[in-house]
Amino acid sequence: MANWDLKGKRAVVTGGTRGIGATTADELRALGAEVLAVARKPVDAHAVVTADITRAEDRERIVQAVKDRWGALDILVNNAGMNIRKPWTELAPYEQATVVDTDLLGPANLLRQLHPLLAQGKAPAVVNVASVAAFVDVGSGAAYAMAKAGLVQLTRSLAVEWAGAGIRVNAVAPWYIRTPLTEPVLSQPDRLERILARTPMKRVGTPEEIAAAIAFLCMDKASFITGHCLVADGGLLSLGL
Ligand SMILES: NC(=O)c1ccc[n+]([C@@H]2O[C@H](COP(=O)([O-])OP(=O)(O)OC[C@H]3O[C@@H](n4cnc5c(N)ncnc54)[C@H](OP(=O)(O)O)[C@@H]3O)[C@@H](O)[C@H]2O)c1
């Protein structure tokens, strides 16, 4: 099992205080990484930079915290995200902007601002947390879908642009995972039944299953993988008739 770990790695996980992000932060720590979580609200348990990824000055605080602590960055997990689930015609322009800022422009600008520190990292790796909504309509609303689709293409473009600097850039695309974000949907029996009917594995995923996929893409073991989007969906995208 040599090198199936993240020993000595320095990682930032946005949205690292709840749901998929918190579980990913725990997984990276268990594999030997030091982790700095980012969220708007602080939590006591671990190191957290209090920052809103949609605000340029807050993103600069994240950069400063990494500079002060490590001087370089090996792993960025761009996980923070949200949704306002409404039909396109009912989504107010400010709501559309909030979704796109959080799910696409915030992560994209954080990548730009952290690039110099990633470029100084050891075998640096980025994982952007997208969604199957980037590929098919899953009732998430168009703003979330287009933002996540943009995040997947950003992943491919930066994988190419940053390959020369040795920075790998990948994404994961989950289907339904039980977290505080999805609990309001999954707690409705009729909604859950419709979701399971479309899922060949007949269950939703766990944060641990996404954290494992993210951790693998961060490892030096994944050293030839870049520009890839790893779908973790219980078979959803493979289901035809
Ligand atoms: N759960 C699913 O089924 C599912 C499926 C596909 C994709 N995803 C994606 O997976 C990611 C995580 O989802 P989740 O279900 O774990 O969400 P969650 O349980 O709602 O957790 C979101 C995390 O992001 C932080 N956050 C939200 N907005 C932020 C902002 N503007 N700046 C900084 N931090 C922010 C939250 O902390 P604060 O509120 O304190 O800021 C929290 O730590 C998201 O990108 C989501 O789109 C989830």
Side-chain angles (χ1 to χ4, degrees), residues 13-22 38-43 49-55 58 62 78-83 98 101-103 128-133 144 148 151 172-183 186 204-205 207 210:
V13 179
T14 68
T17 58
R18 278 204 308 273
I20 292 170
V38 173
R40 291 164 301 180
K41 293 183 279 297
V43 292
V49 182
T50 310
D52 182 335
I53 57 152
T54 67
R55 297 166 61 94
D58 284 23
I62 301 170
N78 248 331
N79 162 79
M82 55 83 71
N83 193 14
T98 301
D101 280 351
T102 311
D103 292 324
N128 295 317
V129 180
S131 165
V132 290
Y144 182 80
K148 292 296 192 182
L151 192 60
V172 298
W175 174 221
Y176 265 101
I177 306 301
R178 201 173 281 279
T179 71
L181 181 75
T182 55
E183 203 46 55
L186 298 178
V204 297
I210 305 306

Side-chain angles (χ1 to χ4, degrees), residues 7-173:
K7 283 187 188 128
K9 298 278 189 185
R10 301 154 293 184
V12 165
V13 179
T14 68
T17 58
R18 278 204 308 273
I20 292 170
T23 305
T24 299
D26 287 345
E27 182 82 358
L28 301 192
R29 287 188 191 101
L31 288 162
E34 272 185 76
V35 178
L36 200 52
V38 173
R40 291 164 301 180
K41 293 183 279 297
V43 292
D44 294 336
H46 293 288
V48 176
V49 182
T50 310
D52 182 335
I53 57 152
T54 67
R55 297 166 61 94
E57 62 273 26
D58 284 23
R59 291 193 299 268
E60 205 42 52
R61 244 197 349 269
I62 301 170
V63 172
Q64 198 53 52
V66 174
K67 268 189 194 154
D68 293 348
R69 183 176 287 248
W70 298 315
L73 185 64
D74 308 314
I75 293 170
L76 171 62
V77 182
N78 248 331
N79 162 79
M82 55 83 71
N83 193 14
I84 302 170
R85 187 186 291 266
K86 286 184 185 175
W88 186 243
T89 50
E90 291 170 23
L91 197 70
Y94 78 90
E95 293 175 317
Q96 176 191 310
T98 301
V99 173
V100 174
D101 280 351
T102 311
D103 292 324
L104 177 58
L105 299 179
N109 283 309
L110 186 59
L111 276 161
R112 183 174 48 76
Q113 287 169 251
L114 281 172
H115 175 265
L117 291 166
L118 283 165
Q120 292 174 54
K122 291 175 287 185
V126 172
V127 179
N128 295 317
V129 180
S131 165
V132 290
F135 304 111
V136 290
D137 185 88
V138 287
S140 64
Y144 182 80
M146 74 183 186
K148 292 296 192 182
L151 192 60
V152 172
Q153 187 51 41
L154 177 75
T155 300
R156 298 187 187 112
S157 294
L158 293 187
V160 174
E161 220 172 276
W162 293 2
I167 304 170
R168 293 185 302 107
V169 187
N170 290 294
V172 298

